Amino acid sequence: MDDKGISLLETVAIRNVGKLNYKAVQELKSTGTLDSSCHISLGYLKSVLKNCSLSDRTSVGVRECINNTYKINHAIEKYIGIIEKEKLWIIPSYDKDYPYEWKNLTGMPEIVFAKGNKNILSDITSSGAVSIVGSRKPGRYAEYATEEFSKNISLEGIAIVSGLALGIDASAHKACLKAEGKTVAIIPCGADGVYPYQNIDLYREISAKGVIISELPPGEPVIKQYFPARNRLISALSDSCLIMEAGMYSGTLHTASFAAAQGKDVFVLPNSIYSENSIGGLELLRDGAEVLIDSDTVIERVRGEVEKRRMLMGSSFPEKNKSGERTIEVLRTLAKKNKDLLSEKEWKRVVLDEISAKPINIDDLSSVLAIPISFLASLVSELETTNQIENRQGKYVLTIPRR
């Protein structure tokens, strides 16, 4: 691990092991002695204690950190071991991989830990994200709706964010992965941990294909008091928040509350007034949340937020990663719903994929792809013009490159 990484871990250990609280850190920042990266080292604490006038409470906190030098260094060594073993990465708030959506909100973590596909976080900036949360023991109606909304939204290239919990969270993640979409799980323990353990297989799949994020240090166990704080990150990372089912005292309501305070659209799936698991969601509707009826409305809102970011960020707006390109399987699924969901370039990929399987004439190609010949003819013509396909005895085949 390089010096920058170790410096970040020293800051984490001082905050976590040394118990240097938020107010003390803010006071240290106000002295003007911290650099732009806000790294807090033991050497810095010794210097600031000697040269700056601090409040009694902050001075006590700083001295306690210095007195716990051994524990802090031991924690750093532990973090490094876990990070290298689990292949975690560290994201400080000034890093390019730090979510853009978090940079514009107060109360977001200065350092987070992650595991998985880095590209997904920058893809969220350019493609958008939706959080889907709800009960841990949902009814079949809410579960089915979760699967459908997660799948449909994922097929549009929009990321699905949730908390890896049982019930709605797990259903949202699974449906997204099945659609080969992008999913992010924000968990209430270190990024190397699994909670609940029943979702270990899902954790592993998200680690391989999506992203696991935590603001807690590596090796940190589950802290139940932390759940509401974790929920603020789920809502903050998304452009819209979908509440699929929530009881009167459900933790899901924390996510909805954070989302509303952060200026996010909150949608609630309407459910039975006789179900205790639905009362919290119905109360949200009475308080002004929007009724969740169709995916298209959510997708349109997310695209609107993405366009706002594009305007605000200008030339720094990230282009979509190649990894964000929709797969043939996704394109075929979308094509069955509505041919207008695919761009011309994507339709050419579908046509080429079909022709690669076997020689086929235009009538059969039109029938297999369920698109009009008039629309197909222009695609085939352009593919012929660019020497990607050729017509042999009335059937199209891929062009064999001539050497």
Side-chain angles (χ1 to χ4, degrees), residues 182-219:
K182 300 170 290 192
T183 193
V184 180
I186 302 180
I187 59 177
C189 54
D192 58 301
V194 182
Y195 183 84
Y197 195 75
Q198 296 97 308
N199 280 341
I200 186 168
D201 290 338
L202 180 56
Y203 171 91
R204 287 171 176 163
E205 189 173 3
I206 296 174
S207 297
K209 300 176 182 177
V211 180
I212 303 287
I213 294 180
S214 176
E215 66 177 314
L216 297 178

mmCIF file of all heavy atoms in Angstrom, residues 182-219:
data_model
loop_
_atom_site.group_PDB
_atom_site.id
_atom_site.type_symbol
_atom_site.label_atom_id
_atom_site.label_comp_id
_atom_site.label_asym_id
_atom_site.label_seq_id
_atom_site.Cartn_x
_atom_site.Cartn_y
_atom_site.Cartn_z
ATOM 1 N N LYS A 182 -26.473 -2.656 -13.032
ATOM 2 C CA LYS A 182 -25.468 -2.166 -12.083
ATOM 3 C C LYS A 182 -26.115 -1.981 -10.719
ATOM 4 O O LYS A 182 -27.091 -1.246 -10.600
ATOM 5 C CB LYS A 182 -24.889 -0.843 -12.575
ATOM 6 C CG LYS A 182 -24.214 -0.930 -13.938
ATOM 7 C CD LYS A 182 -23.873 0.430 -14.511
ATOM 8 C CE LYS A 182 -25.097 1.200 -14.935
ATOM 9 N NZ LYS A 182 -24.792 2.386 -15.747
ATOM 10 N N THR A 183 -25.571 -2.639 -9.714
ATOM 11 C CA THR A 183 -26.161 -2.509 -8.387
ATOM 12 C C THR A 183 -25.113 -2.161 -7.339
ATOM 13 O O THR A 183 -23.959 -2.569 -7.438
ATOM 14 C CB THR A 183 -26.920 -3.797 -7.981
ATOM 15 O OG1 THR A 183 -27.730 -3.524 -6.834
ATOM 16 C CG2 THR A 183 -25.975 -4.945 -7.674
ATOM 17 N N VAL A 184 -25.540 -1.385 -6.335
ATOM 18 C CA VAL A 184 -24.660 -0.941 -5.249
ATOM 19 C C VAL A 184 -25.318 -1.310 -3.920
ATOM 20 O O VAL A 184 -26.496 -1.003 -3.706
ATOM 21 C CB VAL A 184 -24.442 0.587 -5.293
ATOM 22 C CG1 VAL A 184 -23.521 1.019 -4.151
ATOM 23 C CG2 VAL A 184 -23.875 1.021 -6.631
ATOM 24 N N ALA A 185 -24.559 -1.983 -3.061
ATOM 25 C CA ALA A 185 -25.055 -2.320 -1.721
ATOM 26 C C ALA A 185 -24.255 -1.528 -0.692
ATOM 27 O O ALA A 185 -23.029 -1.605 -0.668
ATOM 28 C CB ALA A 185 -24.902 -3.821 -1.468
ATOM 29 N N ILE A 186 -24.952 -0.757 0.122
ATOM 30 C CA ILE A 186 -24.300 0.007 1.195
ATOM 31 C C ILE A 186 -24.633 -0.694 2.503
ATOM 32 O O ILE A 186 -25.804 -0.819 2.870
ATOM 33 C CB ILE A 186 -24.771 1.469 1.200
ATOM 34 C CG1 ILE A 186 -24.482 2.108 -0.170
ATOM 35 C CG2 ILE A 186 -24.068 2.250 2.303
ATOM 36 C CD1 ILE A 186 -24.901 3.550 -0.300
ATOM 37 N N ILE A 187 -23.597 -1.175 3.194
ATOM 38 C CA ILE A 187 -23.832 -2.092 4.308
ATOM 39 C C ILE A 187 -23.443 -1.492 5.669
ATOM 40 O O ILE A 187 -22.628 -0.580 5.735
ATOM 41 C CB ILE A 187 -23.091 -3.432 4.082
ATOM 42 C CG1 ILE A 187 -21.580 -3.212 3.942
ATOM 43 C CG2 ILE A 187 -23.626 -4.111 2.820
ATOM 44 C CD1 ILE A 187 -20.790 -4.510 3.797
ATOM 45 N N PRO A 188 -24.035 -2.026 6.767
ATOM 46 C CA PRO A 188 -23.823 -1.468 8.114
ATOM 47 C C PRO A 188 -22.666 -2.095 8.875
ATOM 48 O O PRO A 188 -22.713 -2.260 10.088
ATOM 49 C CB PRO A 188 -25.157 -1.770 8.797
ATOM 50 C CG PRO A 188 -25.550 -3.090 8.208
ATOM 51 C CD PRO A 188 -25.090 -3.052 6.775
ATOM 52 N N CYS A 189 -21.617 -2.491 8.169
ATOM 53 C CA CYS A 189 -20.415 -3.045 8.785
ATOM 54 C C CYS A 189 -19.264 -2.765 7.824
ATOM 55 O O CYS A 189 -19.463 -2.095 6.802
ATOM 56 C CB CYS A 189 -20.572 -4.552 9.036
ATOM 57 S SG CYS A 189 -21.022 -5.506 7.578
ATOM 58 N N GLY A 190 -18.070 -3.247 8.110
ATOM 59 C CA GLY A 190 -16.976 -3.041 7.183
ATOM 60 C C GLY A 190 -17.299 -3.635 5.816
ATOM 61 O O GLY A 190 -18.075 -4.600 5.713
ATOM 62 N N ALA A 191 -16.695 -3.092 4.764
ATOM 63 C CA ALA A 191 -16.999 -3.556 3.406
ATOM 64 C C ALA A 191 -16.590 -5.006 3.184
ATOM 65 O O ALA A 191 -17.013 -5.630 2.206
ATOM 66 C CB ALA A 191 -16.314 -2.655 2.383
ATOM 67 N N ASP A 192 -15.790 -5.548 4.075
ATOM 68 C CA ASP A 192 -15.389 -6.949 3.986
ATOM 69 C C ASP A 192 -16.379 -7.873 4.680
ATOM 70 O O ASP A 192 -16.272 -9.098 4.574
ATOM 71 C CB ASP A 192 -14.013 -7.134 4.628
ATOM 72 C CG ASP A 192 -14.014 -6.678 6.094
ATOM 73 O OD1 ASP A 192 -14.321 -5.490 6.334
ATOM 74 O OD2 ASP A 192 -13.721 -7.492 6.987
ATOM 75 N N GLY A 193 -17.347 -7.302 5.392
ATOM 76 C CA GLY A 193 -18.284 -8.097 6.176
ATOM 77 C C GLY A 193 -19.569 -8.395 5.434
ATOM 78 O O GLY A 193 -19.898 -7.749 4.436
ATOM 79 N N VAL A 194 -20.299 -9.375 5.917
ATOM 80 C CA VAL A 194 -21.576 -9.760 5.301
ATOM 81 C C VAL A 194 -22.674 -9.637 6.344
ATOM 82 O O VAL A 194 -22.597 -10.255 7.412
ATOM 83 C CB VAL A 194 -21.544 -11.213 4.775
ATOM 84 C CG1 VAL A 194 -22.858 -11.554 4.099
ATOM 85 C CG2 VAL A 194 -20.377 -11.417 3.825
ATOM 86 N N TYR A 195 -23.686 -8.831 6.030
ATOM 87 C CA TYR A 195 -24.838 -8.736 6.934
ATOM 88 C C TYR A 195 -26.096 -8.496 6.103
ATOM 89 O O TYR A 195 -26.124 -7.587 5.280
ATOM 90 C CB TYR A 195 -24.680 -7.594 7.941
ATOM 91 C CG TYR A 195 -25.844 -7.549 8.901
ATOM 92 C CD1 TYR A 195 -25.864 -8.364 10.028
ATOM 93 C CD2 TYR A 195 -26.948 -6.735 8.651
ATOM 94 C CE1 TYR A 195 -26.957 -8.346 10.890
ATOM 95 C CE2 TYR A 195 -28.032 -6.725 9.507
ATOM 96 C CZ TYR A 195 -28.035 -7.530 10.625
ATOM 97 O OH TYR A 195 -29.123 -7.530 11.466
ATOM 98 N N PRO A 196 -27.123 -9.347 6.318
ATOM 99 C CA PRO A 196 -27.125 -10.545 7.156
ATOM 100 C C PRO A 196 -26.379 -11.692 6.469
ATOM 101 O O PRO A 196 -26.260 -11.697 5.244
ATOM 102 C CB PRO A 196 -28.613 -10.868 7.290
ATOM 103 C CG PRO A 196 -29.209 -10.361 6.013
ATOM 104 C CD PRO A 196 -28.434 -9.116 5.674
ATOM 105 N N TYR A 197 -25.915 -12.660 7.263
ATOM 106 C CA TYR A 197 -25.071 -13.713 6.704
ATOM 107 C C TYR A 197 -25.843 -14.588 5.709
ATOM 108 O O TYR A 197 -25.239 -15.225 4.846
ATOM 109 C CB TYR A 197 -24.483 -14.581 7.824
ATOM 110 C CG TYR A 197 -23.340 -15.434 7.332
ATOM 111 C CD1 TYR A 197 -22.091 -14.858 7.079
ATOM 112 C CD2 TYR A 197 -23.508 -16.802 7.086
ATOM 113 C CE1 TYR A 197 -21.032 -15.630 6.608
ATOM 114 C CE2 TYR A 197 -22.455 -17.573 6.619
ATOM 115 C CZ TYR A 197 -21.223 -16.979 6.373
ATOM 116 O OH TYR A 197 -20.186 -17.737 5.887
ATOM 117 N N GLN A 198 -27.172 -14.605 5.829
ATOM 118 C CA GLN A 198 -27.971 -15.396 4.877
ATOM 119 C C GLN A 198 -27.767 -14.908 3.442
ATOM 120 O O GLN A 198 -28.012 -15.646 2.487
ATOM 121 C CB GLN A 198 -29.463 -15.308 5.214
ATOM 122 C CG GLN A 198 -29.834 -15.902 6.560
ATOM 123 C CD GLN A 198 -29.925 -14.855 7.634
ATOM 124 O OE1 GLN A 198 -28.997 -14.060 7.815
ATOM 125 N NE2 GLN A 198 -31.038 -14.824 8.352
ATOM 126 N N ASN A 199 -27.310 -13.679 3.288
ATOM 127 C CA ASN A 199 -27.113 -13.108 1.950
ATOM 128 C C ASN A 199 -25.663 -13.197 1.477
ATOM 129 O O ASN A 199 -25.240 -12.426 0.609
ATOM 130 C CB ASN A 199 -27.552 -11.636 1.941
ATOM 131 C CG ASN A 199 -29.058 -11.496 1.823
ATOM 132 O OD1 ASN A 199 -29.747 -12.421 1.405
ATOM 133 N ND2 ASN A 199 -29.580 -10.339 2.196
ATOM 134 N N ILE A 200 -24.916 -14.153 2.005
ATOM 135 C CA ILE A 200 -23.499 -14.241 1.642
ATOM 136 C C ILE A 200 -23.298 -14.491 0.145
ATOM 137 O O ILE A 200 -22.392 -13.930 -0.474
ATOM 138 C CB ILE A 200 -22.767 -15.322 2.474
ATOM 139 C CG1 ILE A 200 -21.265 -15.275 2.160
ATOM 140 C CG2 ILE A 200 -23.362 -16.705 2.263
ATOM 141 C CD1 ILE A 200 -20.401 -16.080 3.106
ATOM 142 N N ASP A 201 -24.156 -15.324 -0.452
ATOM 143 C CA ASP A 201 -24.022 -15.580 -1.894
ATOM 144 C C ASP A 201 -24.309 -14.310 -2.697
ATOM 145 O O ASP A 201 -23.642 -14.041 -3.700
ATOM 146 C CB ASP A 201 -24.966 -16.701 -2.335
ATOM 147 C CG ASP A 201 -24.526 -18.062 -1.805
ATOM 148 O OD1 ASP A 201 -23.333 -18.202 -1.471
ATOM 149 O OD2 ASP A 201 -25.371 -18.971 -1.716
ATOM 150 N N LEU A 202 -25.292 -13.554 -2.249
ATOM 151 C CA LEU A 202 -25.622 -12.294 -2.918
ATOM 152 C C LEU A 202 -24.487 -11.295 -2.741
ATOM 153 O O LEU A 202 -24.128 -10.572 -3.680
ATOM 154 C CB LEU A 202 -26.929 -11.735 -2.342
ATOM 155 C CG LEU A 202 -27.439 -10.419 -2.935
ATOM 156 C CD1 LEU A 202 -27.622 -10.525 -4.441
ATOM 157 C CD2 LEU A 202 -28.742 -10.007 -2.263
ATOM 158 N N TYR A 203 -23.913 -11.259 -1.539
ATOM 159 C CA TYR A 203 -22.757 -10.385 -1.279
ATOM 160 C C TYR A 203 -21.633 -10.699 -2.257
ATOM 161 O O TYR A 203 -21.015 -9.800 -2.834
ATOM 162 C CB TYR A 203 -22.285 -10.564 0.162
ATOM 163 C CG TYR A 203 -20.975 -9.878 0.480
ATOM 164 C CD1 TYR A 203 -20.938 -8.575 0.974
ATOM 165 C CD2 TYR A 203 -19.757 -10.535 0.278
ATOM 166 C CE1 TYR A 203 -19.729 -7.947 1.266
ATOM 167 C CE2 TYR A 203 -18.541 -9.918 0.564
ATOM 168 C CZ TYR A 203 -18.538 -8.625 1.053
ATOM 169 O OH TYR A 203 -17.342 -8.010 1.328
ATOM 170 N N ARG A 204 -21.357 -11.968 -2.433
ATOM 171 C CA ARG A 204 -20.271 -12.381 -3.328
ATOM 172 C C ARG A 204 -20.569 -11.992 -4.775
ATOM 173 O O ARG A 204 -19.670 -11.566 -5.510
ATOM 174 C CB ARG A 204 -20.059 -13.885 -3.211
ATOM 175 C CG ARG A 204 -19.397 -14.299 -1.894
ATOM 176 C CD ARG A 204 -19.398 -15.800 -1.724
ATOM 177 N NE ARG A 204 -18.682 -16.194 -0.505
ATOM 178 C CZ ARG A 204 -18.788 -17.395 0.064
ATOM 179 N NH1 ARG A 204 -19.571 -18.311 -0.494
ATOM 180 N NH2 ARG A 204 -18.115 -17.665 1.159
ATOM 181 N N GLU A 205 -21.814 -12.149 -5.184
ATOM 182 C CA GLU A 205 -22.166 -11.802 -6.562
ATOM 183 C C GLU A 205 -22.066 -10.292 -6.794
ATOM 184 O O GLU A 205 -21.583 -9.846 -7.835
ATOM 185 C CB GLU A 205 -23.576 -12.300 -6.900
ATOM 186 C CG GLU A 205 -23.903 -12.164 -8.376
ATOM 187 C CD GLU A 205 -25.214 -12.796 -8.781
ATOM 188 O OE1 GLU A 205 -25.941 -13.315 -7.895
ATOM 189 O OE2 GLU A 205 -25.522 -12.777 -9.984
ATOM 190 N N ILE A 206 -22.516 -9.509 -5.803
ATOM 191 C CA ILE A 206 -22.404 -8.059 -5.940
ATOM 192 C C ILE A 206 -20.933 -7.639 -5.922
ATOM 193 O O ILE A 206 -20.526 -6.743 -6.663
ATOM 194 C CB ILE A 206 -23.187 -7.332 -4.821
ATOM 195 C CG1 ILE A 206 -24.676 -7.624 -4.957
ATOM 196 C CG2 ILE A 206 -22.955 -5.818 -4.880
ATOM 197 C CD1 ILE A 206 -25.531 -7.079 -3.819
ATOM 198 N N SER A 207 -20.127 -8.304 -5.102
ATOM 199 C CA SER A 207 -18.692 -7.998 -5.065
ATOM 200 C C SER A 207 -18.045 -8.224 -6.425
ATOM 201 O O SER A 207 -17.101 -7.524 -6.809
ATOM 202 C CB SER A 207 -17.985 -8.871 -4.028
ATOM 203 O OG SER A 207 -18.465 -8.614 -2.732
ATOM 204 N N ALA A 208 -18.544 -9.223 -7.157
ATOM 205 C CA ALA A 208 -17.965 -9.563 -8.453
ATOM 206 C C ALA A 208 -18.509 -8.698 -9.582
ATOM 207 O O ALA A 208 -17.778 -8.349 -10.514
ATOM 208 C CB ALA A 208 -18.232 -11.040 -8.766
ATOM 209 N N LYS A 209 -19.784 -8.314 -9.490
ATOM 210 C CA LYS A 209 -20.425 -7.627 -10.623
ATOM 211 C C LYS A 209 -20.876 -6.202 -10.310
ATOM 212 O O LYS A 209 -21.121 -5.419 -11.220
ATOM 213 C CB LYS A 209 -21.638 -8.441 -11.089
ATOM 214 C CG LYS A 209 -21.306 -9.844 -11.541
ATOM 215 C CD LYS A 209 -22.566 -10.615 -11.884
ATOM 216 C CE LYS A 209 -22.251 -12.046 -12.300
ATOM 217 N NZ LYS A 209 -23.490 -12.822 -12.575
ATOM 218 N N GLY A 210 -21.041 -5.891 -9.020
ATOM 219 C CA GLY A 210 -21.505 -4.566 -8.621
ATOM 220 C C GLY A 210 -20.513 -3.919 -7.678
ATOM 221 O O GLY A 210 -19.300 -4.070 -7.833
ATOM 222 N N VAL A 211 -21.023 -3.206 -6.674
ATOM 223 C CA VAL A 211 -20.153 -2.532 -5.701
ATOM 224 C C VAL A 211 -20.732 -2.667 -4.295
ATOM 225 O O VAL A 211 -21.932 -2.480 -4.092
ATOM 226 C CB VAL A 211 -20.006 -1.025 -6.020
ATOM 227 C CG1 VAL A 211 -19.089 -0.362 -4.996
ATOM 228 C CG2 VAL A 211 -19.436 -0.808 -7.407
ATOM 229 N N ILE A 212 -19.862 -2.988 -3.342
ATOM 230 C CA ILE A 212 -20.196 -2.969 -1.924
ATOM 231 C C ILE A 212 -19.519 -1.730 -1.332
ATOM 232 O O ILE A 212 -18.333 -1.495 -1.568
ATOM 233 C CB ILE A 212 -19.651 -4.210 -1.188
ATOM 234 C CG1 ILE A 212 -20.169 -5.515 -1.814
ATOM 235 C CG2 ILE A 212 -19.981 -4.135 0.301
ATOM 236 C CD1 ILE A 212 -21.615 -5.822 -1.547
ATOM 237 N N ILE A 213 -20.267 -0.921 -0.578
ATOM 238 C CA ILE A 213 -19.703 0.306 0.012
ATOM 239 C C ILE A 213 -20.010 0.365 1.510
ATOM 240 O O ILE A 213 -21.089 -0.034 1.949
ATOM 241 C CB ILE A 213 -20.294 1.561 -0.660
ATOM 242 C CG1 ILE A 213 -19.876 1.648 -2.124
ATOM 243 C CG2 ILE A 213 -19.842 2.836 0.058
ATOM 244 C CD1 ILE A 213 -20.428 2.870 -2.846
ATOM 245 N N SER A 214 -19.050 0.888 2.277
ATOM 246 C CA SER A 214 -19.278 1.166 3.695
ATOM 247 C C SER A 214 -18.407 2.340 4.120
ATOM 248 O O SER A 214 -17.281 2.482 3.646
ATOM 249 C CB SER A 214 -18.947 -0.051 4.553
ATOM 250 O OG SER A 214 -19.082 0.267 5.934
ATOM 251 N N GLU A 215 -18.932 3.147 5.015
ATOM 252 C CA GLU A 215 -18.102 4.211 5.585
ATOM 253 C C GLU A 215 -17.406 3.735 6.848
ATOM 254 O O GLU A 215 -16.572 4.444 7.412
ATOM 255 C CB GLU A 215 -18.932 5.461 5.881
ATOM 256 C CG GLU A 215 -19.966 5.311 6.969
ATOM 257 C CD GLU A 215 -20.714 6.604 7.256
ATOM 258 O OE1 GLU A 215 -20.051 7.649 7.372
ATOM 259 O OE2 GLU A 215 -21.952 6.564 7.342
ATOM 260 N N LEU A 216 -17.730 2.507 7.297
ATOM 261 C CA LEU A 216 -17.079 1.945 8.478
ATOM 262 C C LEU A 216 -15.762 1.290 8.069
ATOM 263 O O LEU A 216 -15.637 0.776 6.958
ATOM 264 C CB LEU A 216 -17.995 0.918 9.142
ATOM 265 C CG LEU A 216 -19.323 1.473 9.682
ATOM 266 C CD1 LEU A 216 -20.164 0.353 10.262
ATOM 267 C CD2 LEU A 216 -19.072 2.551 10.732
ATOM 268 N N PRO A 217 -14.772 1.286 8.948
ATOM 269 C CA PRO A 217 -13.461 0.719 8.610
ATOM 270 C C PRO A 217 -13.529 -0.786 8.358
ATOM 271 O O PRO A 217 -14.450 -1.465 8.835
ATOM 272 C CB PRO A 217 -12.619 1.028 9.851
ATOM 273 C CG PRO A 217 -13.351 2.084 10.587
ATOM 274 C CD PRO A 217 -14.791 1.870 10.295
ATOM 275 N N PRO A 218 -12.553 -1.334 7.630
ATOM 276 C CA PRO A 218 -12.498 -2.785 7.409
ATOM 277 C C PRO A 218 -12.464 -3.532 8.733
ATOM 278 O O PRO A 218 -11.810 -3.104 9.679
ATOM 279 C CB PRO A 218 -11.182 -2.963 6.639
ATOM 280 C CG PRO A 218 -10.925 -1.645 6.001
ATOM 281 C CD PRO A 218 -11.460 -0.620 6.948
ATOM 282 N N GLY A 219 -13.175 -4.643 8.794
ATOM 283 C CA GLY A 219 -13.188 -5.452 10.010
ATOM 284 C C GLY A 219 -14.183 -4.994 11.051
ATOM 285 O O GLY A 219 -14.375 -5.663 12.071
#
